[in-house]
Amino acid sequence: MTHKGLMEIAIAYFAGLLTLINPCVLPVLLIVLATALQAKKWGPLALAAGMNVMFIMLGIGIPAFGPALGINDQVVAHFFELGQL
């Protein structure tokens, strides 16, 4: 993998982490973390690991299998245009 590819992965990962602190997600995340901590001592760590795995799976899976499902740049752009109506 090239240096540019690694940098893109790092930027995408940190962008995903930033989505966790947006005003809509942060209060819910705190409740989920508190619940995980009450369930088990390692609950928050397991929750964080699970979220990381899902971010990675989606980040690799959608570009890999998206074209087979008919998902391309135009479909994604159209989806976000609909969301801004």
Side-chain angles (χ1 to χ4, degrees):
M1 184 172 285
T2 66
H3 178 69
K4 182 180 176 185
L6 289 174
M7 185 61 83
E8 289 173 349
I9 290 172
I11 290 170
Y13 181 79
F14 287 114
L17 288 177
L18 285 176
T19 63
L20 293 177
I21 61 169
N22 85 41
C24 298
V25 174
L26 189 58
V28 174
L29 186 61
L30 295 176
I31 293 168
V32 171
L33 282 172
T35 304
L37 184 60
Q38 286 179 347
K40 296 277 184 186
K41 178 181 176 183
W42 296 100
L45 184 61
L47 178 67
M51 291 178 77
N52 276 320
V53 168
M54 288 308 300
F55 275 132
I56 292 168
M57 287 176 58
L58 287 172
I60 292 171
I62 290 177
F65 300 110
L69 299 172
I71 301 171
N72 57 26
D73 295 342
Q74 294 172 344
V75 172
V76 173
H78 182 68
F79 176 77
F80 283 110
E81 286 173 4
L82 290 175
Q84 296 197 8
L85 293 177

